[in-house]
Amino acid sequence: MSSEQRGRVLVLAAKAAGDALVERLTASGYQCASTERETGLAEMVDQLQPEVVLLAVTAKRAAELLETVRKTDKLQRLPVLVDQGRARSAEAFKRLAVDDFVRGADELVPRLESALRAWRLKEREERIRMRMGMLLEITQAATSSLELEEILRIAVEKVGQVTGTDRCSVVLVEGSHARTATVVATQEDPSLVQLDIEVARYPELRRALETRQPVLIEEAQRDPLMAEVRTSLLPQGVKSILVQPLICQDDLLGALFLRVSKGEASIGRDEQEFAEAVAGVLANSIRNARLHTAVKKKREDLELAYVERYRELNDANRRLKELNRLKDEIIAVCSHDLRAPLQVLLGHGRLLLEGPLETQQKQSAEAMIRQGRKILTLVESLLEKGKGEAARLSIEPRVLDVAQLCRDAVAELEILAAEKAVSLRSECPDSLMLIGDEVKLHEVLQNLISNAIQHASDPGVVVVRTQRLSRPDGDAVRVMVSDNGVGIPPDELHLVFDRYRHGPKGTGLGLAICKEFVELHGGEIWAESPADGGCTFVFTLPLAQEAARNPRPQPAPGAAPEQPRVLVVEDEPEIAAVLSEVLRSKYRVEVARDGAEGLAKARASRPDLVVMDVFLPKLDGLDAAMALKSSSDTAHIPVILLSAHQGVADKVRALNLGAVDYMAKPFNAVELLNRTERALKLSRGEKDQQDKTNSLQRRTGSDPVTGLLDRRGLLLRLEQEVARSRRYHRALTLAVLRPDRDLDAMPPNMAEVMRKRVRHPDSIAHLGLGVFAVVLPECNADAARTVINRLMPDVENVTSIEYRAAMADVSQDSDPVEKLLEKLGAPPPEAH
């Protein structure tokens, strides 16, 4: 074993004793130096680089030298031994803070050996601890939100501290065969950052990138690989070089470069392992940064493409609007120009009929007038279409009697009915006042009666009837136009109002326009095929509300009445803006953009009215309306539902969700204000309002005290969710929780306890005797089982009764909802 491997010992002793110890230790394989004076000690330490200090002097002198050793930077951490072999008394040395004592010549080498092993082991542990700490700091930096350049700067600084190198750099390349590399971080000179270098000029870097393996140059002055650059290395005194490739998921990203120029320093196995660990962390961070940059660039490209596409579509939309406007103008002009000569022809035809004509001439004149009227009807429809959407979908409202309107329409068409040998009569005895557009409603009646006359049998019968309907949100009128013709097949009833469906004897525009005009007034229209034959067209319209018998007292003169507060819940900004602008003329308006926000604002501010769209993000209007009516704090707030989809009014009324009114889009400003005022009137008066709240809660099947659904409310909710799940092919799980024994009274906090364990869309019902049912939309049986397992312990803790649960996915079960409950063990209605 060489003296370098055995150890280096600094002997502090008098000349003779020191020489003897040096001679003996040198013979034992140690590298030694000896001195007694403090002067020149620093130079000797720099040359020897000792690992242990041996004191062979008197106790007094040993204390002085020990103090000097502890003050010297390169000696203060070294183990210190004291040779007591020449001392008269060992007691004097006991006060010295040294690591060990040598009590005889035969103990010298073993004591030194033991001290060296302990010191080297301690030093190794310190180096390992420092490497692990530095590696942890590098990893934390690499996983933080710092920029890549800052992460690499921290890394080269930490690596340089651990390895003792005089240069630590990170170079990056693009691809495995790159000719150039970029220095992105360096310990030696920060000004070299972003410096491009040629890979061919660095043979060690070229070898590492080509082989993808670490390259260690232990002696740069003698290694054959460095022969071509040795002349440039000599002035720098380069001794050792390590190049560690940066590879992540088989992608070559660059290299970690280490260089040692100090005479005694070297790159050992520990430094190589540390560099390999750091390279793995840095490679992953570099790859992630490149992926992030690529994704960011792709996103910017997509955003740019989206903007360009949006501009193109916007321009195309503008051109289409212009073309549509020109089309409407052309249709309107043509229709107007056609109508004028037709009126002239019909006028002269009527004059001919008033004069003396032969039978054949009279029949010809009548045919001319009849066909002219038909053409005029088509032209009127074309003109109505040519006015455009904005003109057609607006009304000029006034108070009118719909029964009188029906009688007038029948009187006008009696001649046409007589020509067809059809008996036409009206059965409209009562006066039924409403607010509407007389022209549009007259056209609806004319279209329906003309259509009935055309399809009546021979001899034909057409009857127009009116009927008053009582509804919670206000009375309505039902108008029925019936004929005794062949009728319409049941599978085609829903197609008769299709604008683009042409029947055998018409253009199909008349019924489509009727539907638009009826819905514009807030009504509904449909066709029926009675069992006794024929066909009946039915439409309903809301009647005008009668003035209250006991009007509210007027505010004192000079005191401005407080405007009611209206919450508008609409996700389309343009429609929300129109609603707000119309309502602000009479009310204070607040806007919410989705169902969840609307529900939160309604609970927080308690508005006087909520105007809400049915199809909303996060929480649709139907669920939001049910949530409002299920809570005693918000059940008194009237709700008007809006929707552009067909059939929503039927669904709202069938489910009795508590909405006081329904409006179809598009709507008229006057109509909106009228319906808003009517809804607010329903909520006035404290006592009447409380009765209305209880009635609404009973209609929704909700317990006013707990807010839980009862059996009726559960059946309504379950029918709604089953229809949705089948329509949209989504999961729906029904769970029934039964106690081991009947529960006489439900704890008052049960509803609150159960709601904490379920989602907002889920519904909870109490079926009596402690039996609960839970409806979980868009939740399969496995997920529902997890929810119920969390819920069961809470229920059992509150009731002190053990429960059993049964659940099933009922989305595709065709049984009635009562049967679904029975399958899961729910008690029959008469059981409680």
Side-chain angles (χ1 to χ4, degrees):
M1 182 180 292
S2 66
S3 59
E4 179 69 21
Q5 294 173 329
R6 191 71 185 270
R8 299 182 296 278
V9 182
L10 175 62
V11 180
L12 299 180
K15 176 67 174 161
D19 291 345
L21 287 171
V22 167
E23 181 179 357
R24 183 174 180 183
L25 291 174
T26 302
S28 298
Y30 291 93
Q31 183 178 353
C32 303
S34 175
T35 183
E36 185 182 8
R37 300 179 179 277
E38 289 85 346
T39 57
L41 180 62
E43 291 79 4
M44 182 177 293
V45 169
D46 289 339
Q47 294 178 1
L48 179 62
Q49 296 293 320
E51 297 175 282
V52 63
V53 177
L54 178 62
L55 299 179
V57 292
T58 62
K60 181 179 179 181
R61 181 59 178 157
E64 296 174 354
L65 291 175
L66 183 60
E67 183 178 358
T68 302
V69 168
R70 297 309 185 197
K71 291 181 180 180
T72 305
D73 292 339
K74 295 184 179 181
L75 298 179
Q76 57 186 224
R77 297 180 66 250
L78 298 182
V80 178
L81 281 69
V82 173
D83 185 3
Q84 296 179 348
R86 298 174 177 82
R88 297 177 182 177
S89 173
E91 294 296 328
F93 290 98
K94 289 183 179 181
R95 294 189 298 272
L96 298 177
V98 296
D99 297 279
D100 203 356
F101 297 95
V102 179
R103 296 176 178 81
D106 55 340
E107 290 187 1
L108 178 61
V109 173
R111 294 286 183 180
L112 282 175
E113 196 71 31
S114 176
L116 281 170
R117 280 198 304 270
W119 180 79
R120 287 171 178 171
L121 181 60
K122 181 179 178 181
E123 285 294 302
R124 178 175 177 79
E125 290 177 351
E126 288 293 330
R127 288 195 299 272
I128 292 174
R129 188 179 297 107
M130 182 177 66
R131 290 192 184 100
M132 294 300 294
M134 293 296 186
L135 182 60
L136 177 60
E137 292 182 18
I138 294 172
T139 304
Q140 290 174 341
T143 55
S144 67
S145 59
L146 295 175
E147 296 292 335
L148 179 62
E149 291 76 8
E150 181 64 16
I151 294 173
L152 298 180
R153 185 194 66 77
I154 294 174
V156 297
E157 179 182 343
K158 302 298 181 183
V159 172
Q161 294 177 14
V162 171
T163 59
T165 56
D166 56 287
R167 172 179 287 185
C168 177
S169 305
V170 175
V171 295
L172 300 183
V173 297
E174 296 289 343
S176 302
H177 305 287
R179 295 184 178 181
T180 60
T182 303
V183 180
V184 293
T186 182
Q187 171 196 17
E188 182 184 28
D189 187 358
S191 64
L192 299 178
V193 174
Q194 301 303 324
L195 175 67
D196 293 333
I197 59 175
E198 296 182 11
V199 176
R201 297 180 56 185
Y202 298 85
E204 70 282 16
L205 177 61
R206 183 177 66 242
R207 172 74 62 83
L209 296 178
E210 289 175 352
T211 62
R212 296 193 171 201
Q213 297 293 327
V215 173
L216 175 62
I217 308 297
E218 296 183 354
E219 293 292 338
Q221 305 300 332
R222 294 195 295 270
D223 196 298
L225 180 63
M226 310 300 293
E228 57 186 283
V229 294
R230 188 166 294 134
T231 55
S232 61
L233 296 178
L234 286 175
Q236 302 177 31
V238 177
K239 179 183 179 184
S240 301
I241 298 174
L242 173 64
V243 182
Q244 179 69 46
L246 300 176
I247 301 174
C248 182
Q249 297 186 6
D250 204 37
D251 290 339
L252 180 64
L253 307 173
L256 178 64
F257 183 90
L258 302 177
R259 188 188 73 182
V260 176
S261 300
K262 300 175 182 177
E264 298 298 331
S266 63
I267 301 177
R269 182 60 188 170
D270 292 342
E271 286 75 15
Q272 296 177 46
E273 292 176 353
F274 180 70
E276 183 179 0
V278 172
V281 174
L282 295 183
N284 187 66
S285 182
I286 294 168
R287 185 175 183 274
N288 289 340
R290 288 185 174 180
L291 289 176
H292 176 73
T293 302
V295 169
K296 184 179 179 181
K297 185 178 184 303
K298 185 66 175 178
R299 183 181 63 188
E300 292 174 351
D301 293 342
L302 288 175
E303 289 177 351
L304 181 61
Y306 170 78
V307 171
E308 294 296 329
R309 184 59 176 166
Y310 175 79
R311 290 174 180 171
E312 293 175 3
L313 292 175
N314 196 37
D315 292 341
N317 187 49
R318 179 182 53 79
R319 292 193 296 269
L320 287 175
K321 286 183 178 179
E322 181 65 20
L323 291 174
N324 188 59
R325 186 185 63 80
L326 292 175
K327 180 263 297 179
D328 290 340
E329 289 181 359
I330 292 172
I331 292 176
V333 170
C334 291
S335 300
H336 182 271
D337 292 345
L338 286 172
R339 185 171 56 175
L342 276 174
Q343 295 286 2
V344 175
L345 290 175
L346 290 174
H348 284 283
R350 285 191 292 270
L351 290 175
L352 286 175
L353 284 176
E354 294 174 358
L357 293 175
E358 298 178 0
T359 303
Q360 185 177 0
Q361 291 175 338
K362 186 176 182 179
Q363 291 177 352
S364 297
E366 290 175 348
M368 290 169 57
I369 293 175
R370 188 166 54 251
Q371 296 303 317
R373 286 175 177 171
K374 185 175 182 179
I375 295 174
L376 183 60
T377 301
L378 295 176
V379 170
E380 292 289 350
S381 298
L382 188 62
L383 180 60
E384 190 68 33
K385 178 66 178 177
K387 292 179 181 178
E389 294 292 327
R392 192 176 77 256
L393 297 176
S394 62
I395 61 175
E396 298 179 5
R398 71 179 186 86
V399 178
L400 54 92
D401 185 353
V402 70
Q404 184 61 44
L405 199 63
C406 292
R407 291 192 289 267
D408 292 343
V410 168
E412 292 173 1
L413 295 171
E414 282 181 348
I415 298 177
L416 177 62
E419 292 178 353
K420 295 286 187 177
V422 174
S423 172
L424 175 62
R425 70 178 187 272
S426 63
E427 297 178 0
C428 310
D430 298 329
S431 177
L432 300 168
M433 307 304 294
L434 56 75
I435 299 175
D437 190 316
E438 182 177 3
V439 175
K440 285 183 170 56
L441 293 180
H442 186 270
E443 184 172 349
V444 171
L445 288 168
Q446 279 197 326
N447 281 336
L448 294 180
I449 297 173
S450 300
N451 186 67
I453 294 173
Q454 183 178 0
H455 292 90
S457 299
D458 188 13
V461 177
V462 175
V463 183
V464 179
R465 299 183 181 90
T466 57
Q467 179 185 4
R468 179 184 290 269
L469 300 177
S470 296
R471 289 179 175 172
D473 57 347
D475 291 351
V477 60
R478 174 187 290 168
V479 181
M480 296 162 285
V481 181
S482 304
D483 64 69
N484 65 339
V486 295
I488 302 174
D491 57 343
E492 295 185 14
L493 286 175
H494 66 288
L495 299 174
V496 295
F497 299 101
D498 189 349
R499 179 178 296 276
Y500 303 105
R501 179 180 179 272
H502 295 262
K505 297 182 180 180
T507 63
L509 286 175
L511 292 178
I513 292 175
C514 288
K515 184 175 185 298
E516 289 183 356
F517 288 173
V518 170
E519 292 182 348
L520 190 60
H521 285 77
E524 305 160 76
I525 186 170
W526 65 92
E528 298 177 351
S529 287
D532 55 353
C535 180
T536 301
F537 282 86
V538 186
F539 66 91
T540 61
L541 297 172
L543 291 176
Q545 298 295 309
E546 298 180 359
R549 295 184 179 179
N550 298 316
R552 300 180 68 184
Q554 297 296 325
E562 185 178 3
Q563 290 182 322
R565 293 175 296 114
V566 178
L567 173 63
V568 174
V569 187
E570 172 60 61
D571 60 318
E572 297 185 17
E574 294 180 357
I575 297 179
V578 172
L579 286 168
S580 302
E581 189 66 26
V582 171
L583 293 172
R584 281 198 178 98
S585 62
K586 297 179 66 176
Y587 311 106
R588 292 177 292 165
V589 180
E590 187 177 5
V591 179
R593 298 302 183 187
D594 56 66
E597 182 185 357
L599 184 60
K601 286 189 175 182
R603 288 171 172 169
S605 61
R606 311 281 176 81
D608 297 296
L609 176 70
V610 176
V611 179
M612 180 160 51
D613 190 14
V614 170
F615 297 96
L616 293 169
K618 296 185 180 179
L619 183 68
D620 68 22
L622 300 178
D623 289 336
M626 175 168 282
L628 288 173
K629 299 306 173 184
S630 298
S631 174
S632 58
D633 295 335
T634 56
H636 66 280
I637 302 175
V639 178
I640 297 178
L641 292 178
L642 308 174
S643 178
H645 292 254
Q646 298 181 6
V648 175
D650 293 331
K651 182 165 57 176
V652 171
R653 292 193 178 96
L655 296 176
N656 284 319
L657 294 180
V660 298
D661 205 348
Y662 161 79
M663 289 183 61
K665 298 178 183 176
F667 49 82
N668 178 263
V670 176
E671 176 194 4
L672 175 63
L673 291 173
N674 288 338
R675 296 206 180 196
T676 301
E677 182 62 27
R678 182 174 62 190
L680 288 171
K681 284 181 180 179
L682 291 175
S683 65
R684 289 170 181 161
E686 182 176 353
K687 184 176 182 302
D688 294 340
Q689 178 57 40
Q690 185 61 41
D691 295 339
K692 181 68 176 178
T693 299
N694 294 336
S695 175
L696 289 172
Q697 286 191 314
R698 286 192 295 270
R699 289 204 303 273
T700 57
S702 176
D703 186 341
V705 178
T706 65
L708 298 182
L709 298 175
D710 57 17
R711 176 177 285 271
R712 179 173 175 274
L714 172 65
L715 294 179
L716 290 174
R717 181 67 171 181
L718 190 55
E719 284 180 357
Q720 176 191 9
E721 294 299 342
V722 167
R724 284 183 181 175
S725 64
R726 292 171 182 170
R727 184 163 59 247
Y728 299 114
H729 302 285
R730 296 174 179 171
L732 172 67
T733 300
L734 174 64
V736 174
L737 283 63
R738 296 198 60 172
D740 286 346
R741 65 178 187 274
D742 293 343
L743 185 65
D744 296 332
M746 186 175 64
N749 62 335
M750 176 59 74
E752 181 181 356
V753 169
M754 298 186 73
R755 284 201 186 94
K756 289 181 180 179
R757 292 295 186 182
V758 297
R759 305 166 302 169
H760 181 76
D762 301 337
S763 302
I764 307 173
H766 181 220
L767 305 181
L769 304 178
V771 179
F772 297 97
V774 184
V775 181
L776 301 116
E778 299 188 20
C779 187
N780 57 34
D782 292 337
R785 188 170 292 105
T786 302
V787 174
I788 299 302
N789 288 340
R790 294 200 306 264
L791 179 62
M792 291 274 284
D794 294 340
V795 175
E796 292 175 346
N797 289 337
V798 174
T799 61
S800 301
I801 300 175
E802 293 187 2
Y803 270 76
R804 300 186 304 276
M807 65 198 73
D809 188 336
V810 298
S811 57
Q812 303 304 319
D813 198 324
S814 58
D815 286 336
V817 291
E818 281 280 11
K819 186 67 174 177
L820 298 178
L821 287 171
E822 182 182 343
K823 286 182 179 179
L824 296 176
E830 60 274 9
H832 56 89

